[in-house]
């Protein structure tokens, strides 16, 4: 960190710049503060010479929108930058983003301070990054933003600060004709072979990062420089210094064949089953790094607002921020303004701003020059565009539209369909600071650059330090990143016979251009602006624009060349709203068994030790009562009592203090059934509950015939199905039913209540072996008379299995999973009505009936809606949870406008009418590092305009429509 230079901007919207934090290949970063609120931010301001290139501007904004969509947990949500400041006439509005500042060290700097990380820290680092990659890959996208400089180590866990090639670039420069050349600092075997990148490419780079963090060096550095690419493509990585417990996993990530690499979810689970946040509880950084982070925080807090900045903020006269490194500055002026103790770092080789002469073409492996680059080179057919985020960036100050370049380029326009699907991560303990800082040093450990003519080498430009030094430090040579590994030496890569952009050329990275409004095209301009990416200085042209897919979109990719970009929205798409409150069930008590809402006033939680109540308005616990231990779901018994069924008695508790108002022991209420065991509640409707119970009776052996020995008495289980009024506190009826599997109480579930009868299914796990054999694999539904409890009929429905999810409505229809489809039947006749096809290899979970719609859920993590009358599909969306598992459980908000899908991985919230994916939520790592692993699924309980999300001991109250 260093003092502001003379030509540095002083204001960024509501923020006043305090210091220059660092600079990278494409941007300069500043520590800034909102004078009014005291909020400290890290501003990322694009270099003006790059911001003037339309393709850079749109890509910069696209990567900022990706950060918004991934916001939460190890990705800090961008800050609201407010309205753009006025810009002097004739000047373009600077391009910048703002994120909260969090004390953290870049990975490369951390290795320089304390050496390789210990195994536990490696697990937390890898698991945190893998959790982010898992969300990116679930949307069919590739990140391409991993590098030692883009990964930060904070006190509570790692942070990722780059979300595309610009953020992770080793160098970036504008070229004539509106082109942009970006050099990546790493390669994967498939890139070297000229193949398209995929999710597996991110895993290869993750393996490189973990190997570097574990050893302090990269696994392919040893050997002649000219063979660097061959080593990446052919040699086995050097992993002897990696901890043995992690060696196999990292080696798998570095497999040459992308199909042999593990998925991001697999890596996250193997490194930290309880999640990175859970494993990091109690601290995770070695002492020297923890001290360095604390020291950095103290130094930033001590920064004072410049006098002119404070005055400008007070009088609201701040001008628009001047672009860093203004063109009017004299050479060397910026450096001269730096303090003497400013610690400088050399940029990676070739990262300077001097343009590369046009007569210095890339060189092939044999040393022969390649064909000259052409702005009009065609897009390679095998260049797969990265899905781009949607065009809304509330935390982004958008530059004034630049005129179309006069060369052979024309920026493409378009719009990207978006359905706001992003996960929000929250910890269950003390919440980490909701801020972050952007990518820092951009030199990467695996840099490969093609040889250039001596006179074509760009002038090196020193970079700012990454932490506030305590004393002057000798500047580092430009060929080595501070605290990090030396980049790979220059190496040539093969070029295709057709020259740049032609078939068979070297590694390609395809970058779609985010859409933006453009002026009327020049008749001589080409269809698209070209974005040149030199993947480790491979001179190939990468074409942007065209069809791209939004990260997290529920729709397929759509063309983006025809529509103008909409104006940025104030809200962050896909980000879960801030919870109204968070409640953590005490760790000293046993985990919750059941949760229920009482009269939209209380959250009643039962556990092995007690029942307790939480105020739904504040999230504060009001009372706890040991009498309710092991109780079932609490219900409302009229307007002023809480009903809880415990293993031995029915309880009516006061909602104010939890005191027992009424108590009915089973031995008293059912005195003719001694030893009655009450099963779980089968269902409820108003004041009526239905449940099963059983008791054991002794059947005496018949009197033996003369001369015969008397037989043994038998113990027989008798089971009943009950209806009970919890307001009048009396039994309505009971009817004998077949006993279930030992210990004998069958488990029933009410699937539909009608005016004349109630329809019930028995859980397959409680069926006896004889019943299972008799059913021949088909499940059945029983009808009991509402008034008398008499069994009316038992029916099977098509090929619905014993475990098939089933639900019914009051109109006489039954909906059941049949194979991989959902089928509707007439309940009374079992006549099929319609069928909805499911996805291959999946099956439907329990549907949720809501007015004219039936909301569906599948094991393949698809959620949808069909018309109740006809079965016509209205919409179907994925929760974007990778893999398969139990079908998400569904809950509707009080207004029935919002559908909440909860499974073991996350909560996904949709618009019930059209399936728009609104937001996601994950609570990763809620277990203490030394405590039990949390494997509980999420649950959702809705009331009014709030949904309470539970995972084990943690409860979050979110606002919903």
């Amino acid at each position: 960190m260093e003092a502001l230079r003379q030509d540095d901007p002083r204001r960024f919207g509501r923020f006043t710049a305090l210091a220059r934090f660092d600079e990278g290949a494409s941007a300069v970063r500043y520590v800034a503060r909102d004078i009014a609120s005291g909020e400290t931010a890290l501003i990322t301001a694009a270099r003006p010479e790059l911001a003037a290139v339309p393709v850079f501007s749109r890509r910069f904004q696209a990567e900022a929108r990706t950060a918004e969509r991934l916001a939460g947990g190890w990705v800090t949500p961008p800050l609201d930058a407010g309205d753009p400041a006025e810009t002097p006439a004739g000047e373009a509005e600077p391009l910048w983003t703002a994120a909260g500042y969090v004390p953290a060290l870049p990975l490369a700097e951390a290795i320089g301070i304390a050496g390789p990380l210990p195994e536990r820290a490696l697990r937390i680092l890898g698991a945190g990054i893998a959790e982010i990659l898992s969300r990116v890959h679930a949307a069919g996208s590739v990140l391409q933003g991993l590098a030692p400089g883009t990964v930060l180590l904070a006190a509570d866990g790692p942070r990722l600060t780059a979300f595309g090639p610009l953020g992770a670039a080793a160098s970036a420069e504008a070229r004539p004709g509106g082109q942009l050349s970006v050099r990546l600092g790493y390669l994967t075997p498939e890139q070297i072979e000229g193949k398209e990148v995929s999710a597996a490419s991110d895993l290869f780079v993750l393996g490189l990062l973990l190997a570097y963090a574990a050893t302090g060096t990269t696994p392919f550095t040893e050997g002649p420089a000219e063979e660097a690419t061959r080593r990446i493509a052919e040699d086995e990585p050097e992993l002897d210094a990696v901890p043995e417990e992690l060696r196999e996993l990292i080696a798998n990530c570095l497999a040459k064949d992308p199909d042999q690499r593990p998925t991001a979810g697999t890596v996250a689970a193997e490194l930290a089953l309880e999640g990175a946040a859970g494993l990091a509880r109690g601290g995770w950084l070695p002492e020297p790094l923890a001290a360095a982070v604390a020291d950095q925080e103290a130094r930033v807090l001590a920064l004072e607002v410049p006098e002119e900045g404070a005055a400008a903020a007070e009088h609201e006269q701040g001008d628009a921020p001047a672009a860093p490194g203004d063109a009017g500055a004299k050479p060397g002026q910026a450096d001269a303004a730096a303090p003497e103790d400013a610690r400088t770092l050399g940029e990676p080789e070739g990262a300077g701003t001097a343009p590369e002469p046009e007569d210095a073409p890339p060189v092939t492996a044999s040393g022969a020059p390649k064909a000259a680059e052409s702005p009009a080179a065609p897009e390679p057919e095998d260049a797969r565009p990265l899905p781009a985020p949607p065009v809304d960036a509330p935390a982004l100050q958008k530059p004034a539209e630049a005129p179309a370049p006069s060369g052979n380029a024309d920026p493409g326009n378009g719009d990207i369909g978006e359905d706001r699907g992003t996960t929000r991560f929250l910890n269950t303990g003390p919440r980490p600071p909701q801020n972050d800082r952007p990518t820092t040093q951009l030199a990467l450990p695996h840099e490969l650059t093609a040889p250039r003519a001596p006179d074509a080498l760009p002038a090196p430009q020193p970079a700012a330090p990454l932490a506030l030094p305590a004393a002057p430090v000798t500047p580092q040579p430009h060929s080595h990143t501070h605290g990090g590994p030396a980049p790979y030496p220059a190496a040539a890569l093969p070029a295709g016979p057709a020259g740049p952009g032609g078939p068979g050329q070297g590694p390609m990275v395809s970058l779609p251009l985010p859409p933006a409004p453009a002026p009327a095209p020049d008749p001589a301009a080409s269809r698209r602006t070209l974005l040149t990416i030199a993947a480790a200085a491979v001179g190939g042209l990468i074409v942007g624009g065209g069809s791209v897919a939004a990260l997290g979109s529920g729709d397929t990719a759509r063309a983006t060349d025809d529509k103008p970009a909409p104006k940025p929205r104030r809200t962050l798409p896909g980000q879960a709203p801030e919870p109204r409150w968070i409640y953590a069930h005490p760790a000293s008590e046993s985990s919750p068994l059941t949760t229920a809402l009482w009269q939209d006033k209380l959250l009643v939680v039962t556990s092995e030790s007690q029942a307790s109540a939480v105020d739904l308005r504040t999230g504060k616990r009001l009372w706890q009562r040991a009498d309710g231990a092991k109780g079932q779901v609490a219900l409302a018994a009229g307007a002023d009592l809480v009903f809880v069924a415990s293993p031995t008695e029915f309880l009516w508790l006061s909602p104010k203090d939890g005191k027992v108002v009424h108590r009915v022991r089973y031995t008293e209420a059912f005195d003719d059934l001694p030893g009655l065991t009450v099963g779980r509640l089968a269902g409820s409707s108003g004041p009526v509950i239905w449940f099963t119970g059983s008791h054991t009776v002794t059947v005496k052996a018949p009197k033996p015939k003369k001369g015969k020995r008397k037989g043994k008495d038998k113990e027989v289980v008798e089971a009943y199905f009950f209806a009970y009024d919890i307001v009048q506190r009396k039994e309505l009826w009971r009817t004998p039913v077949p006993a279930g599997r030992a210990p004998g109480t069958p488990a029933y579930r009410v699937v539909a209540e009608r005016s004349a009868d109630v329809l019930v299914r028995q859980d397959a796990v409680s069926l006896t072996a004889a019943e299972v054999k008799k059913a021949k694999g088909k499940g059945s539904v029983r009808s009991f008379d509402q008034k008398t409890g008499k069994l009316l009929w038992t029916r099977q429905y098509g090929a619905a299995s014993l475990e098939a999810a089933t639900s019914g409505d009051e109109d006489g229809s039954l909906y059941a999973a049949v194979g991989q489809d959902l089928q509707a039947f007439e309940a009374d006749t079992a006549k099929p009505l319609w069928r909805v096809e499911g996805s291959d290899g999946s099956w439907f979970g329990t549907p949720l009936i809501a007015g004219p719609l039936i909301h569906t859920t599948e094991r393949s993590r698809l959620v949808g809606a069909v018309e109740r009358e006809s079965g016509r599909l209205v919409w179907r969306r994925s929760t974007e949870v990778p893999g398969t598992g139990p079908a998400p459980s569904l809950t509707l908000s009080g207004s029935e406008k919002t559908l909440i899908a909860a499974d073991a991985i996350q909560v996904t919230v949709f618009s019930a009418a059209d399936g728009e994916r609104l937001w996601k939520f994950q609570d990763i790592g809620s277990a203490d590092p030394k405590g039990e692993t949390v494997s509980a699924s999420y649950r959702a309980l809705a009331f009014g305009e709030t949904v309470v999300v539970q995972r084990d001991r943690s409860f979050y109250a979110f606002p919903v429509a």
Side-chain angles (χ1 to χ4, degrees), residues 544-558:
S547 297
V548 295
L551 175 64
S553 172
D555 301 321
T556 56
R558 64 182 68 177

Side-chain angles (χ1 to χ4, degrees), residues 369-661:
K370 291 167 59 177
E373 294 182 289
S374 168
E379 179 179 3
E381 294 181 1
D382 61 350
R384 178 181 178 185
L386 289 178
V391 285
D392 47 355
L396 184 67
Q397 296 294 341
K398 186 176 180 180
E401 299 301 337
S406 58
N408 299 330
D410 173 30
N413 297 333
D415 186 19
I416 300 175
E418 175 227 342
D419 102 14
R420 304 192 293 177
T422 298
T423 305
R424 176 62 179 260
F425 290 79
L426 290 174
N427 290 330
T428 57
R431 299 180 63 194
Q434 296 296 309
N435 44 30
D436 198 356
R437 73 183 195 187
T439 180
T440 52
Q441 183 65 28
L442 291 172
L444 309 180
H446 345 293
E447 184 173 319
L448 291 167
T449 57
R452 297 181 180 179
D455 60 348
L457 292 175
Q461 177 177 332
L466 300 175
L468 193 64
V473 180
T474 304
Q476 301 293 320
H478 81 278
S479 60
H480 195 82
T481 305
H482 168 63
Y488 281 128
L493 296 175
Q505 72 170 55
M508 310 265 306
V509 179
S510 181
L511 297 180
L513 308 186
D522 185 334
S526 64
R527 180 73 176 97
R528 300 172 181 173
T529 299
L530 300 182
L531 171 60
T532 303
I533 291 294
V538 177
L541 294 180
I542 307 304
V543 182
S547 297
V548 295
L551 175 64
S553 172
D555 301 321
T556 56
R558 64 182 68 177
T560 61
D561 285 339
D562 302 321
K563 302 177 183 178
K567 294 182 179 180
R569 291 200 298 267
R570 282 285 183 184
T571 57
L572 298 182
Q575 178 177 318
E578 286 298 319
R580 302 185 195 275
W581 49 259
I582 300 174
Y583 167 71
H585 193 71
S588 59
E589 301 175 8
S590 54
S591 295
L593 294 176
T594 70
T595 54
L597 303 180
W598 182 86
Q599 300 283 49
D600 293 355
K601 296 178 181 179
L602 298 180
L603 171 69
V604 182
V605 180
T606 66
S607 67
E608 291 283 346
S609 58
Q610 63 189 7
S612 57
V614 176
D615 190 330
L616 286 176
R617 297 171 303 167
T618 64
K620 304 296 184 181
R621 185 149 86 165
L622 300 178
W623 51 260
Q624 55 266 8
R625 178 63 55 179
D627 300 79
K630 301 182 182 179
Q632 300 194 48
V633 175
L635 299 170
D640 54 1
L641 291 176
V642 178
F643 172 83
V644 175
S646 80
T648 59
E649 59 189 351
F650 290 150
L651 298 172
W652 287 261
L653 309 178
S654 167
K656 295 181 179 180
D657 53 17
K659 291 183 178 179
V660 178
V661 178

Side-chain angles (χ1 to χ4, degrees), residues 460-844:
Q461 177 177 332
L466 300 175
L468 193 64
V473 180
T474 304
Q476 301 293 320
H478 81 278
S479 60
H480 195 82
T481 305
H482 168 63
Y488 281 128
L493 296 175
Q505 72 170 55
M508 310 265 306
V509 179
S510 181
L511 297 180
L513 308 186
D522 185 334
S526 64
R527 180 73 176 97
R528 300 172 181 173
T529 299
L530 300 182
L531 171 60
T532 303
I533 291 294
V538 177
L541 294 180
I542 307 304
V543 182
S547 297
V548 295
L551 175 64
S553 172
D555 301 321
T556 56
R558 64 182 68 177
T560 61
D561 285 339
D562 302 321
K563 302 177 183 178
K567 294 182 179 180
R569 291 200 298 267
R570 282 285 183 184
T571 57
L572 298 182
Q575 178 177 318
E578 286 298 319
R580 302 185 195 275
W581 49 259
I582 300 174
Y583 167 71
H585 193 71
S588 59
E589 301 175 8
S590 54
S591 295
L593 294 176
T594 70
T595 54
L597 303 180
W598 182 86
Q599 300 283 49
D600 293 355
K601 296 178 181 179
L602 298 180
L603 171 69
V604 182
V605 180
T606 66
S607 67
E608 291 283 346
S609 58
Q610 63 189 7
S612 57
V614 176
D615 190 330
L616 286 176
R617 297 171 303 167
T618 64
K620 304 296 184 181
R621 185 149 86 165
L622 300 178
W623 51 260
Q624 55 266 8
R625 178 63 55 179
D627 300 79
K630 301 182 182 179
Q632 300 194 48
V633 175
L635 299 170
D640 54 1
L641 291 176
V642 178
F643 172 83
V644 175
S646 80
T648 59
E649 59 189 351
F650 290 150
L651 298 172
W652 287 261
L653 309 178
S654 167
K656 295 181 179 180
D657 53 17
K659 291 183 178 179
V660 178
V661 178
H662 303 290
R663 186 193 308 266
V664 174
R665 293 183 173 85
Y666 303 147
T667 54
E668 299 171 356
F670 310 101
D671 54 5
D672 58 331
L673 301 175
L676 177 68
T677 299
V678 173
R680 74 170 190 216
L681 298 184
S684 65
S685 178
V688 179
I689 62 171
W690 295 282
F691 61 93
T692 54
S694 66
H695 76 133
T696 303
V697 298
T698 301
V699 178
K700 294 187 175 296
K703 186 177 180 179
K705 295 180 181 180
K706 188 176 181 179
K708 299 291 185 179
R709 180 180 297 179
K710 182 180 179 181
K712 293 183 179 180
D713 295 342
K714 294 183 179 180
E715 300 291 321
V716 178
V717 175
E718 293 181 346
Y720 299 88
F721 185 43
F722 296 85
Y724 190 93
D725 190 313
I726 60 175
V727 172
Q728 300 183 45
R729 300 194 298 280
K730 70 174 184 179
E731 178 182 348
L732 300 179
W733 50 254
R734 78 177 75 160
T735 188
V737 294
R741 187 186 298 270
T745 304
Y748 282 7
R749 184 174 66 86
V750 174
V751 298
E753 183 203 2
R754 304 189 294 181
S755 59
D757 62 352
V758 57
L759 305 185
V760 175
R761 271 180 63 90
Q762 183 173 349
D763 287 355
V765 294
S766 68
L767 292 170
T768 64
E771 288 174 321
V772 171
K773 183 177 180 180
K774 182 180 179 181
K776 297 181 180 179
K778 294 183 179 181
S780 59
V781 172
R782 294 183 175 99
S783 169
F784 294 91
D785 187 277
Q786 278 271 30
K787 295 182 179 180
T788 66
K790 178 182 178 182
L791 177 63
L792 301 178
W793 48 257
T794 301
R795 287 192 174 85
Q796 295 178 328
Y797 294 85
S801 68
L802 294 168
E803 299 86 6
T806 307
S807 187
D809 60 30
E810 70 282 359
D811 296 331
S813 295
L814 198 77
Y815 312 96
V818 180
Q820 65 183 27
D821 300 333
L822 180 68
Q823 194 164 355
F825 302 88
E826 285 185 356
D828 293 320
T829 65
K831 176 184 176 181
L833 299 176
W834 48 256
R835 178 189 296 265
V836 175
E837 292 185 358
S839 51
D840 292 339
S842 182
W843 57 79
F844 283 89

Side-chain angles (χ1 to χ4, degrees), residues 236-258:
E236 293 301 316
E238 294 291 336
L239 300 176
D240 293 343
V242 173
E244 183 177 357
E245 294 80 2
L246 303 179
R247 197 174 301 158
E248 181 179 0
L249 178 62
I250 294 177
N252 291 340
C253 290
L254 296 175
K256 307 302 180 186
D257 183 356

